[in-house]
Amino acid sequence: MGTIIKVTSPDERAAEVVFEEFRDWEEKLSHFKKGSPISRLNRRGKVRTDPEVLGLIKRSLEVSFLSSGTFDITLGPIIDIWKKAIKNKRLPKSKEIDNARKLIGWENIYIDENKGLIKFTKRGMKIDLGAIAKGFALDMAVARLRKEGITSALINAGGDIYCLGTKYGRRWKVGLRHPRRNREITKVYPLSDKAIVTSGDYEQYFTIEGKRFSHIIDPRTGYPADSGICSVTVIAEEATIADALATAIFVLGEKKGLELAKKFNIKEVRISKDCF
Ligand code: FAD
Ligand code: MG
């Protein structure tokens, strides 16, 4: 999934269980893998798939609905344009963005649960689960650990973290890094059976024509998010929701972002605007 996954556990089976789950879900959810149901959907505009993949798409649409479309898995065509821009080190033409925006919209995904069918209602649409699939794989890995009777582990999947059980009876401690001052820890959370997910502009970003851009796109404009936030951390029961919300809040900005978190009954959100 384009990242490093680190597992800490007193049970020596834990790491292999986690890696196996991540490998399996990457095969299913990655649009970088030609044979995945997501790639097939992107090529053909429809796909029949299993209830888990369908369920993840449904949850993505739920977050889209509640976040006024600031979280949107149909951003594929726009993300392609920005990838090209990064490669060529040149900002895309506004016409290109306008054209791609015609293909964006979570409302244009149709699901038939009985048939296990996902369909696009517009030709040329593409989905990208980059903002939610890591969280989902993490939840699935934690469920597998529990099933195997493994009750203590800390998993860090590139900023998507889950704290399972305790570390020898004490809660796991997760430190948040300052988004600009690399070595500075701004807050430490003691956590047990919780997900803690951060979306920031400091691990993944790009610079074109001297300006720094986030890899998170604002679906309302087609341009990288520019809400004044440089880091969002969400603590939740589930990593899937924490992952999606961290991305949506990054786009929405502080006020509306916190309103969104409330809708999901999230008690802890930390936003940093210390971007200089
Ligand atoms: P998040 O904020 O959680 O997500 C940002 C990502 O979501 C963006 O990179 C974009 O893809 C998408 N996005 C941007 N804006 C929005 C928005 N408003 N709403 C919804 N989605 C948005 N990287 C590789 O280099 N090679 C690979 O082969 C590869 N395979 C992957 C397979 C899977 C299943 C996953 C989940 C990721 C993979 N990645 C791969 C990494 C991926 O391209 C992203 O870099 C990564 O998911 C970003 O996660 P994040 O936690 O940094 O940011
Ligand atoms: Mg995310």
Side-chain angles (χ1 to χ4, degrees):
M1 299 195 182
T3 191
I4 291 167
I5 297 163
K6 190 171 166 186
V7 182
T8 309
S9 172
D11 192 313
E12 61 185 19
R13 297 170 298 160
E16 198 40 51
V17 169
V18 171
F19 296 153
E20 212 178 274
E21 282 293 315
F22 268 87
R23 272 195 292 267
D24 286 356
W25 289 108
E26 182 174 25
E27 290 300 325
K28 284 192 179 172
L29 302 175
S30 176
H31 66 276
F32 295 92
K33 302 244 175 210
K34 282 208 171 99
S36 75
I38 300 304
S39 291
R40 272 184 279 144
L41 173 61
N42 285 348
R43 274 198 307 273
R44 299 181 197 159
K46 63 178 175 185
V47 74
R48 268 177 204 262
T49 182
D50 52 49
E52 282 100 347
V53 176
L54 219 79
L56 179 60
I57 303 289
K58 268 182 68 183
R59 300 200 77 189
S60 302
L61 299 182
E62 185 194 357
V63 179
S64 295
F65 177 69
L66 292 172
S67 69
S68 317
T70 50
F71 176 87
D72 194 334
I73 56 172
T74 68
L75 279 175
I78 293 271
I79 292 169
D80 285 348
I81 289 179
W82 284 101
K83 279 204 175 133
K84 208 176 84 194
I86 297 167
K87 211 172 127 207
N88 300 338
K89 295 192 167 56
R90 256 214 328 260
L91 287 174
K93 294 202 176 75
S94 61
K95 183 104 184 84
E96 271 180 284
I97 300 274
D98 289 345
N99 284 339
R101 278 180 69 198
K102 292 178 190 143
L103 299 172
I104 310 301
W106 58 275
E107 309 91 334
N108 302 322
I109 296 180
Y110 168 87
I111 293 178
D112 184 333
E113 274 185 272
N114 291 327
K115 291 186 183 150
L117 181 75
I118 309 169
K119 219 167 108 179
F120 293 153
T121 60
K122 280 188 188 175
R123 193 192 288 265
M125 286 173 65
K126 266 188 189 173
I127 61 175
D128 176 330
L129 296 173
I132 192 168
K134 236 187 321 171
F136 177 77
L138 185 51
D139 283 333
M140 294 295 115
V142 168
R144 258 289 300 288
L145 288 175
R146 289 201 168 105
K147 214 169 126 202
E148 306 279 344
I150 300 169
T151 55
S152 167
L154 180 75
I155 311 169
N156 183 355
D160 286 34
I161 296 171
Y162 194 91
C163 306
L164 174 65
T166 62
K167 181 187 182 186
Y168 301 117
R170 288 195 180 174
R171 285 182 289 176
W172 296 98
K173 283 186 187 157
V174 179
L176 293 191
R177 207 167 85 192
H178 188 285
R180 294 291 179 268
R181 296 192 287 275
N182 215 338
R183 297 204 189 139
E184 201 176 302
I185 300 292
T186 55
K187 172 123 182 142
V188 176
Y189 288 101
L191 296 169
S192 173
D193 294 322
K194 291 274 185 305
I196 174 164
V197 174
T198 299
S199 258
D201 70 350
Y202 49 99
E203 284 285 349
Q204 292 221 42
Y205 63 91
F206 54 95
T207 311
I208 303 179
E209 295 169 12
K211 193 173 177 316
R212 178 179 174 130
F213 294 99
S214 156
H215 70 304
I216 298 175
I217 306 290
D218 186 336
R220 299 168 298 190
T221 61
Y223 283 81
D226 194 12
S227 63
I229 291 178
C230 44
S231 170
V232 180
T233 299
V234 177
I235 299 179
E237 303 297 317
E238 285 176 287
T240 309
I241 288 300
D243 194 358
L245 290 185
T247 306
I249 294 169
F250 195 97
V251 176
L252 278 169
E254 186 164 16
K255 187 167 171 283
K256 288 196 171 150
L258 293 176
E259 283 168 20
L260 173 66
K262 244 191 207 153
K263 292 183 197 166
F264 285 85
N265 212 7
I266 303 291
K267 306 221 167 48
E268 187 72 44
V269 177
R270 192 173 170 93
I271 291 172
S272 172
K273 291 177 169 175
D274 211 352
C275 308
F276 303 101

